Amino acid sequence: MSPTVVKRLATRFSLGAFPGRFEETRLDEVRDAVGQGTIQHQGDAGDSIYWLCYRRAQDRLWVLSSGEMGGPDHLVTEIVEELTEKDGGTATDCAIIPDKFAPVVVDGKLHLGMTRQEIIAAFGPPSKSEAAQMLYSHEGKLAHGFDETAWLILGFREDKLVSMRGGKTTTS
């Protein structure tokens, strides 16, 4: 998909009043703020990923760090949140997140429950749009010659945002 969004995307996120920044906030900072959760790991080298998983009723949240791009401090590179069709309360691999860490908001605007029209009003036209999904993609140059890539992958059910995946990576 061609990056069509000129404005920077996925620079910050919040879990309720807890503020975070992509590629600056560490996974252990999120865990310590929430007061629970286990940093999990899978893969190696470029396929390595670290994450925290949380649940609340029908809501699932993953806070991710690419093993390569998140570095040894496990900086947050991606957030994934989704509403499931039914309460998956039997999932024991995800800690329960207290209500005070809701809503999850990306870039001070994006949160589950928004309509397509609200998202377009907030972020402009998407890079790609399909029946159940909208994609926003941004690439840009930062100071000192670094390249930034950011994305939002948004899933809809009955015109309401029910899943979002947003992240950012910076490379030299």
Side-chain angles (χ1 to χ4, degrees), residues 114-157:
M114 293 178 77
T115 65
R116 285 176 179 268
Q117 293 74 24
E118 290 171 327
I119 293 167
I120 291 169
F123 290 93
S127 301
K128 185 176 180 182
S129 184
E130 298 172 348
Q133 195 173 66
M134 285 190 339
L135 304 136
Y136 285 84
S137 178
H138 163 81
E139 284 184 4
K141 284 277 187 199
L142 299 175
H144 310 295
F146 289 99
D147 295 313
E148 177 180 72
T149 302
W151 61 91
L152 298 172
I153 303 169
L154 311 176
F156 295 86
R157 189 179 318 124

Side-chain angles (χ1 to χ4, degrees), residues 9 26 47 59-60 66 94 117 128 131 145:
L9 293 174
R26 298 183 322 267
D47 292 328
D59 191 6
R60 296 292 172 274
S66 160
C94 297
Q117 293 74 24
K128 185 176 180 182

Side-chain angles (χ1 to χ4, degrees), residues 9-132:
L9 293 174
T11 58
R12 59 194 168 100
F13 62 90
S14 61
L15 310 178
F18 175 79
R21 296 192 69 78
F22 289 100
E23 298 186 301
E24 292 179 24
T25 302
R26 298 183 322 267
L27 284 179
D28 63 350
E29 289 177 288
V30 174
R31 181 197 57 214
D32 293 348
V34 172
Q36 57 195 346
T38 302
I39 297 174
Q40 300 179 58
H41 175 253
Q42 177 179 314
D44 55 11
D47 292 328
S48 175
I49 189 163
Y50 295 82
W51 73 90
L52 288 163
C53 178
Y54 294 105
R55 62 186 163 97
R56 172 182 34 248
Q58 293 176 271
D59 191 6
R60 296 292 172 274
L61 170 67
W62 293 269
V63 183
L64 304 147
S65 176
S66 160
E68 182 179 9
M69 304 309 288
D73 291 330
H74 309 306
L75 301 176
V76 175
T77 54
E78 194 167 17
I79 294 269
V80 179
E81 185 182 27
E82 66 182 27
L83 290 176
T84 60
E85 291 280 342
K86 55 187 174 190
D87 187 350
T90 56
T92 57
D93 59 337
C94 297
I96 295 173
I97 190 168
D99 288 339
K100 72 178 185 176
F101 293 98
V104 175
V105 179
V106 174
D107 288 339
K109 303 173 195 170
L110 185 66
H111 58 86
L112 295 186
M114 293 178 77
T115 65
R116 285 176 179 268
Q117 293 74 24
E118 290 171 327
I119 293 167
I120 291 169
F123 290 93
S127 301
K128 185 176 180 182
S129 184
E130 298 172 348

